[in-house]
Amino acid sequence: MEWGQTKKKTIWTVFLFIIGMNLYAEGILPVNLRTEYKINPFVDVISPRLSWELTSPVNNQFQSAYQIIVSSSQDLCASSKGDTWDSGKIESSATNQIKYAGKELHSGMRVWWKVRAWDKNGDVGPWSEMAYWEMGLLEKKDWKADWIGLDLRENFTDSEYDLPPTPYLRKNIQLRKEVKSARLYISALGLVEFKINGNKVGNDYFVPGWTDYNERVYYQAYDVTDLIKPGENTLGAHLSYGWYSGYLGYALLVGTSKVRDFYGRTPLMKAQVRIEYTDGSTDYIVSDKDWKGCSSPLIESDMLQGEMYDARKEIAGWDKPGFDDSDWEEVLSSEDSPQREIELYPGNPVRVINEFTPREIIPSGDKKHIVDLGQNFAGIVRLKVKGNPGDTVTLRYGEMLHPDGRLVTENLRRARATDYYILKGDPNGETWMPTFTFHGFQYVEVSGLDEVSDRTITGLALSSDTKLVGDFDTDSPMLNQLYSNIVWTQFANYIDIPTDCPQRDERLGWTGDAQIYVKSATFNTDVAAFYTKWVRDLNDAQWSNGAYPIYAPMPKTNLATPAIRGTDKYSPGWSEAGIICPYEIYETYGDTEIVKSSWENMVAYMEFLKEKSGGDYVFEEGSFEEISPKGGFGDWLSVGKKTPPDLLATMYYAYCAELMGAMADAIGKKEEAGNYRELFKKIKESMVRHYTDESGKFVTDTLVYGDGSGYVDGHLGFRGHTQTAYANAIYMGLVEGEDKRKAGDWLSALVAGNDGKLATGFLGFKPLLPALSTTGHIQTAYDLILSTEYPSLGFEVVNGATSIWERWDSYTLDEGFVHNASMNSFSHYAFGSVCEWMFEFMAGIQVVDPGYRSFSINPVIPQKGLSNVSATYHSINGLIESAWEKTGNDLIMDITVPVNTTANICIPGQMDKITINGEGIKTDKFLFVDRRADMTIVKTGSGKYKIKVSDR
Ligand code: BGC
């Protein structure tokens, strides 16, 4: 193009832009288009759900209608021809959970879409940018590939662990025509890393994730057009044992006869490449008997034990064209199991989310160094070395150091968590990263090298790639560090499933930890897809009697027996994750699909509880004696006397009934909703009758528990009148009015009587600060969060924590490790459940209508201890901001309300002392204004609001 032409084009573009700006300057614009919670994803849902957010320069803006166009090509979409779906103008304010309702879409079809919205005045805004989604393989019969693998199970060498080598599989293909597009669909029973012409496909780890492989296995889909070239191409796969046939949990520790191979023995993969040529024809290259296999240089590989890579065994060019594989072995191919579903991975793939360079390198003996990466995280390292062939570098991982500088590995129990790299002796140096394992660590002990520089080791944090949606900041550096610790512990434990901890021989999807923390998680990252995946795991793991398990996935030896440890069946406070997690996802994202797809499972659990309670609506003392531990895990890791686990079980029963009522309403099951509400009332009444005295205090019949043996910490004795009991009763809505006030006073008195300290465990801590705050004991709540004395989260921070610990006193600067190392993780998110209170009470952001279509901003402000809090939360309906700052006698609040939502802003002050954006409150400017004695509530639509309360 000539300069003159370019200039003319530029002027024309600028002109059009200005015209456009004028037309749409006031326009409402949809942005952040997503399909099934993801941007431009592959999906295998027949009617995927679409969502967008809205922007508008106008305050109080709403969407009155929308139109969606879905087209079979980008061009058609650009010219607004919705040949697969044109929704027409739909009068609705909905911007998410909108199901595609166009022509039937078939496997492999990519469709483009866009949306426009009409604003509150009925004026239409501009079309959004275009987005797309692509259908995966919708039916089992779309798979033409076989399961293939190579059995290397007999070749292991280690005496302590059964750690066989891993196979490479390969195939050459010839492409004689010009390729228009190519897709890879890849699944494995085990783990797979797939390569095309030597390039790793995608940047995901641990594909295809952990499921009950007997019921379902996932596949990933990738656009590999750019990796395929004309002529000869090579498809290569590296397989490992992973969750399918590697070590799982504490089976080895507790002496279970089977310690690995819970789903199968030999890892297999299924790969299918669909190639579309420019002439319109299609080819499939699939995994089948024609592939060849060979043992790889990765001679040990296990998620818990780590890896050993012998670079001398590298096979140059194995994954590239031109390689002679005539001496490679025939692969084995295996029939598919008819009852196993194969579905597209619904979660967020595990990826590298951050890199850490060494903070300190500490020499620790002959050819030994400890590298401190400065943050406790889960992941792997990148090792860069130079040396002689056969030199071995040993990498051990730990979360802490002993006072004498040794790495703490005792708390890893039977997880070897060690990687070995054997050098090939490349004079230019060698770089290696483990492929199919991860560790929970801050420190790496590097043995075998004379020198370690800050380039030798780089930490790579792995996590399910859930997008950050929250931020939290205060004028307390301790609290800011605490928030960082919470987020990092979430990243470290959200690895395909929500695990308890990432380091020791456990890493299981413990349901109690998950249900306690799920709400907190929603404020930090977008966990909609992550939980869509795990709630399915949970439903798959449900026992045939209706009980949800204590962890999911749950390997089983048969329908009724856990395989990792025979007694791992169910526990009150844990199993309820099956109801609480879908509820929280529904409430946070307005997602009714998760409710519908879990409904039967949830009803079965409620039936199980009903039967268990014998129709009495209460679990009396000793109701769960048959499980191990007796009564279940109860208020796990609490301090002092134990709250009766049966009282907690009763409270959870009631809470579940309440949530079931709300969920039944949400999916239009009116009658069930009524029944569950009635049930909630009955349980509440029975609980009060059985577990409270005349004054309303919680009591328990301690005689039933005898000397407490068989119960968790039973020797400490039981008491009904505990912080945990009142905190849960208040949080779960089991006490109202005067009873609630009394419960709040007792709770606060119990804290005061305990030297101003908490005494709660897993089940008691989450509700503790919310319960204090909603009963007027705001300063007590703040004193607890700001405390740096044992037991508190602040105590961890001042003792150097960069993550949340399993125990309140996992470590102290003075005494070191006082606890049995066998249960002392430094990356356990359960006590991070206080994050919910930080966002909902400190910043005051509370959902009112599901998906934050309406919400309240009602921060609780302490008398002392803190001067400002600032939080952002990017909801499915857009960005919410809430900040407050005390300046002298004034209070400044900064609030952002997204387009198409409403907020009830609770301003702590009388109306005549308040200005909003510099003006006094004019009632006609807001949707609603409520004047109360010490508070003014303003209901408003979108916009940014600077609020000043003078002379408080
Ligand atoms: C886990 C916990 C889990 C518990 C059951 C532990 O070993 O690490 O977080 O919830 O077992 O009480």
Side-chain angles (χ1 to χ4, degrees):
M1 200 184 279
E2 296 293 310
W3 181 86
Q5 272 178 298
T6 316
K7 195 174 162 197
K8 263 190 226 155
K9 194 176 175 220
T10 312
I11 293 168
W12 183 233
T13 313
V14 170
F15 175 72
L16 283 179
F17 181 68
I18 292 168
I19 296 273
M21 273 192 1
N22 285 341
L23 268 180
Y24 298 125
E26 302 282 292
I28 184 169
L29 176 69
V31 295
N32 195 16
L33 273 60
R34 294 188 297 155
T35 308
E36 288 292 321
Y37 298 119
K38 297 177 184 176
I39 295 173
N40 299 338
F42 286 92
V43 298
D44 67 351
V45 179
I46 309 286
S47 300
R49 291 164 297 169
L50 308 178
S51 73
W52 58 91
E53 291 163 29
L54 293 163
T55 62
S56 163
V58 176
N59 275 9
N60 278 301
Q61 186 58 280
F62 292 94
Q63 171 187 288
S64 57
Y66 67 81
Q67 180 182 12
I68 297 170
I69 292 275
V70 184
S71 316
S72 57
S73 76
Q74 193 172 4
D75 288 347
L76 283 172
C77 189
S79 50
S80 304
K81 297 205 171 66
D83 61 333
T84 68
W85 189 36
D86 181 344
S87 71
K89 183 178 175 185
I90 309 259
E91 310 276 344
S92 164
S93 58
T95 59
N96 50 62
Q97 308 295 344
I98 296 165
K99 281 191 170 187
Y100 168 78
K103 282 188 195 151
E104 193 179 329
L105 303 175
H106 53 79
S107 293
M109 191 170 172
R110 178 178 285 197
V111 290
W112 292 80
W113 70 287
K114 63 183 181 181
V115 56
R116 62 178 173 171
W118 279 258
D119 68 12
K120 59 180 175 185
N121 299 321
D123 293 332
V124 68
W127 285 105
S128 68
E129 286 188 357
M130 288 182 284
Y132 62 82
W133 78 84
E134 186 168 317
M135 301 306 280
L137 303 181
L138 301 181
E139 290 179 61
K140 234 178 165 178
K141 68 173 169 44
D142 293 327
W143 283 93
K144 301 168 202 315
D146 296 330
W147 289 108
I148 61 167
L150 191 67
D151 189 351
L152 300 173
R153 287 304 302 273
E154 298 311 319
N155 305 7
F156 66 91
T157 49
D158 190 297
S159 51
E160 194 179 353
Y161 297 96
D162 169 5
L163 295 172
T166 59
Y168 282 158
L169 308 178
R170 78 182 305 279
K171 169 150 186 169
N172 282 342
I173 53 168
Q174 283 292 338
L175 301 179
R176 299 190 201 289
K177 294 191 270 185
E178 203 186 325
V179 173
K180 186 175 154 219
S181 71
R183 299 287 182 271
L184 166 71
Y185 306 94
I186 175 77
S187 179
L189 295 165
L191 301 175
V192 62
E193 186 182 70
F194 203 86
K195 290 182 166 185
I196 296 181
N197 299 324
N199 301 303
K200 172 170 167 157
V201 176
N203 46 8
D204 306 339
Y205 281 75
F206 314 135
V207 173
W210 187 358
T211 47
D212 181 341
Y213 300 101
N214 301 314
E215 303 256 339
R216 79 184 74 236
V217 63
Y218 290 125
Y219 68 91
Q220 283 286 11
Y222 300 95
D223 182 346
V224 292
T225 312
D226 292 345
L227 297 179
I228 299 274
K229 55 185 183 54
E232 191 179 345
N233 287 265
T234 301
L235 308 182
H238 189 186
L239 288 185
S240 182
Y241 302 90
W243 296 289
Y244 177 76
S245 52
Y247 284 86
L248 284 186
Y250 38 59
L252 192 59
L253 179 81
V254 300
T256 309
S257 55
K258 193 174 203 156
V259 293
R260 55 175 301 164
D261 305 325
F262 289 102
Y263 301 95
R265 224 178 113 73
T266 309
L268 300 168
M269 71 119 188
K270 196 192 256 280
Q272 182 158 315
V273 180
R274 190 193 73 225
I275 298 184
E276 271 178 43
Y277 298 105
T278 45
D279 68 4
S281 59
T282 306
D283 245 350
Y284 290 91
I285 296 134
V286 299
S287 50
D288 58 20
K289 289 195 308 300
D290 295 343
W291 286 56
K292 293 290 203 66
C294 179
S295 189
S296 82
L298 188 62
I299 54 180
E300 291 178 3
S301 173
D302 186 82
M303 297 196 96
L304 293 172
Q305 322 308 359
E307 296 196 332
M308 182 184 286
Y309 186 89
D310 188 345
R312 297 168 305 177
K313 296 192 171 173
E314 279 179 357
I315 310 167
W318 75 273
D319 51 3
K320 294 195 181 120
F323 179 82
D324 176 10
D325 60 17
S326 52
D327 62 345
W328 281 37
E329 289 176 56
E330 302 290 314
V331 293
L332 60 90
S333 71
S334 166
E335 288 285 295
D336 202 4
S337 139
Q339 68 270 26
R340 182 193 296 129
E341 300 292 341
I342 180 159
E343 296 165 358
L344 188 69
Y345 188 69
N348 308 96
V350 177
R351 295 192 174 132
V352 173
I353 57 149
N354 206 13
E355 296 204 356
F356 294 102
T357 49
R359 182 169 71 177
E360 201 185 348
I361 297 167
I362 314 154
S364 67
D366 186 29
K367 285 184 169 237
K368 257 192 196 168
H369 294 81
I370 289 188
V371 178
D372 175 2
L373 290 161
Q375 171 67 49
N376 188 327
F377 66 99
I380 51 174
V381 295
R382 187 190 300 122
L383 170 72
K384 287 196 174 182
V385 280
K386 215 183 261 186
N388 298 317
D391 285 355
T392 301
V393 180
T394 304
L395 304 168
R396 295 202 306 151
Y397 301 85
E399 299 179 285
M400 300 291 281
L401 298 182
H402 283 291
D404 62 5
R406 280 175 305 118
L407 193 71
V408 171
T409 56
E410 301 85 320
N411 69 339
L412 307 180
R413 303 193 307 215
R414 295 300 301 278
R416 187 184 74 175
T418 304
D419 296 319
Y420 300 91
Y421 180 76
I422 305 170
L423 279 75
K424 59 187 165 194
D426 187 333
N428 297 318
E430 308 171 32
T431 302
W432 179 70
M433 290 177 290
T435 314
F436 301 113
T437 190
F438 70 93
H439 313 287
F441 65 107
Q442 172 172 338
Y443 301 91
V444 192
E445 183 196 78
V446 185
S447 311
L449 293 176
D450 291 325
E451 271 178 46
V452 169
S453 81
D454 56 6
R455 283 192 308 276
T456 310
I457 294 283
T458 307
L460 307 179
L462 291 172
S463 184
S464 286
D465 198 4
T466 57
K467 189 174 172 295
L468 262 185
V469 293
D471 195 19
F472 188 88
D473 188 61
T474 69
D475 60 319
S476 157
M478 187 280 280
L479 278 187
N480 298 345
Q481 181 64 46
L482 171 60
Y483 181 64
S484 166
N485 295 2
I486 291 171
V487 175
W488 270 108
T489 310
Q490 179 172 327
F491 282 139
N493 282 288
Y494 276 24
I495 293 191
D496 182 62
I497 58 163
T499 60
D500 54 336
C501 55
Q503 72 298 84
R504 68 182 178 220
D505 55 352
E506 193 139 354
R507 311 183 197 186
L508 298 171
W510 281 97
T511 46
D513 310 42
Q515 68 86 0
I516 278 293
Y517 185 74
V518 57
K519 178 85 190 175
S520 288
T522 64
F523 285 111
N524 299 329
T525 70
D526 178 353
V527 295
F530 180 81
Y531 263 92
T532 302
K533 192 257 170 195
W534 189 67
V535 165
R536 210 171 282 172
D537 293 335
L538 197 47
N539 289 334
D540 283 349
Q542 189 171 28
W543 299 110
S544 50
N545 64 1
Y548 283 107
I550 54 171
Y551 47 82
M554 166 65 72
K556 299 172 181 171
T557 50
N558 58 47
L559 280 184
T561 317
I564 294 178
R565 177 169 61 187
T567 52
D568 284 353
K569 289 219 165 147
Y570 72 94
S571 166
W574 268 244
S575 303
E576 287 81 357
I579 286 172
I580 295 169
C581 294
Y583 175 80
E584 294 296 355
I585 298 305
Y586 152 67
E587 190 182 58
T588 304
Y589 306 103
D591 187 336
T592 45
E593 282 308 299
I594 201 162
V595 176
K596 286 183 198 157
S597 58
S598 305
W599 186 253
E600 278 180 25
N601 300 73
M602 296 194 289
V603 169
Y605 184 60
M606 294 307 288
E607 288 302 307
F608 164 80
L609 289 179
K610 183 174 167 191
E611 206 177 308
K612 192 87 198 44
S613 83
D616 288 342
Y617 307 109
V618 64
F619 295 114
E620 295 183 0
E621 293 86 344
S623 287
F624 294 90
E625 291 219 311
E626 81 289 2
I627 57 178
S628 167
K630 280 185 184 174
F633 303 111
D635 193 20
W636 184 249
L637 300 184
S638 62
V639 182
K641 282 220 185 295
K642 301 299 289 182
T643 308
D646 306 289
L647 168 59
L648 286 167
T650 306
M651 290 178 165
Y652 267 94
Y653 184 21
Y655 188 48
C656 283
E658 193 185 5
L659 301 187
M660 287 295 281
M663 287 191 279
D665 266 336
I667 59 170
K669 292 185 182 290
K670 292 276 163 268
E671 197 185 326
E672 286 91 332
N675 294 343
Y676 281 117
R677 268 193 283 273
E678 191 53 30
L679 176 64
F680 172 66
K681 255 179 62 192
K682 285 189 178 144
I683 303 170
K684 213 163 77 168
E685 283 161 12
S686 300
M687 181 199 76
V688 168
R689 203 175 313 123
H690 184 80
Y691 278 110
T692 60
D693 65 14
E694 330 62 65
S695 66
K697 262 190 194 164
F698 282 114
V699 286
T700 192
D701 182 357
T702 51
L703 290 178
V704 177
Y705 296 113
D707 64 0
S709 59
Y711 285 85
V712 174
D713 292 335
H715 63 282
L716 298 175
F718 293 86
R719 190 164 59 195
H721 185 63
T722 62
Q723 293 181 18
T724 291
Y726 295 108
N728 276 289
I730 295 166
Y731 183 95
M732 294 175 178
L734 305 175
V735 280
E736 286 160 300
E738 179 57 13
D739 292 341
K740 181 173 172 181
R741 192 195 58 73
K742 265 200 291 186
D745 289 350
W746 279 322
L747 176 58
S748 152
L750 281 165
V751 174
N754 192 36
D755 212 11
K757 290 178 181 158
L758 60 82
T760 48
F762 274 29
L763 301 188
F765 185 52
K766 176 183 88 162
L768 179 63
L769 304 195
L772 285 166
S773 304
T774 53
T775 52
H777 304 283
I778 292 168
Q779 191 59 45
T780 311
Y782 271 95
D783 291 346
L784 287 171
I785 197 72
L786 289 166
S787 168
T788 53
E789 283 177 27
Y790 167 81
S792 71
L793 291 170
F795 175 78
E796 300 178 6
V797 173
V798 297
N799 277 281
T802 60
S803 50
I804 301 294
W805 298 345
E806 179 170 24
R807 294 174 177 276
W808 292 117
D809 56 348
S810 284
Y811 172 83
T812 68
L813 283 176
D814 308 334
E815 295 185 52
F817 307 94
V818 287
H819 282 291
N820 179 355
S822 71
M823 220 192 73
N824 202 10
S825 142
F826 290 85
S827 184
H828 240 74
Y829 61 63
F831 285 138
S833 61
V834 73
C835 188
E836 167 182 333
W837 177 80
M838 292 162 83
F839 277 86
E840 289 200 320
F841 288 86
M842 287 180 77
I845 304 172
Q846 292 201 15
V847 61
V848 174
D849 283 332
Y852 292 81
R853 270 300 298 284
S854 67
F855 56 95
S856 58
I857 299 283
N858 186 12
V860 289
I861 295 164
Q863 296 294 322
K864 57 182 172 64
L866 210 63
S867 303
N868 65 59
V869 168
S870 162
T872 62
Y873 169 58
H874 200 129
S875 76
I876 193 165
N877 276 296
L879 183 70
I880 299 169
E881 291 180 288
S882 170
W884 57 261
E885 180 172 16
K886 291 200 265 183
T887 52
N889 287 335
D890 300 342
L891 179 79
I892 308 290
M893 295 168 76
D894 281 292
I895 313 291
T896 303
V897 181
V899 174
N900 204 38
T901 67
T902 54
N904 293 315
I905 307 175
C906 305
I907 310 166
Q910 286 172 2
M911 193 160 126
D912 54 356
K913 300 256 178 75
I914 299 171
T915 59
I916 300 184
N917 293 342
E919 292 180 2
I921 298 179
K922 299 199 183 76
T923 43
D924 58 340
K925 276 191 116 183
F926 298 97
L927 297 168
F928 175 78
V929 177
D930 185 10
R931 305 169 70 143
R932 302 208 179 148
D934 53 355
M935 179 173 279
T936 305
I937 302 173
V938 171
K939 181 171 182 176
T940 182
S942 61
K944 279 186 172 293
Y945 303 96
K946 185 174 262 317
I947 300 169
K948 182 171 176 189
V949 188
S950 306
D951 305 325
R952 291 180 73 234

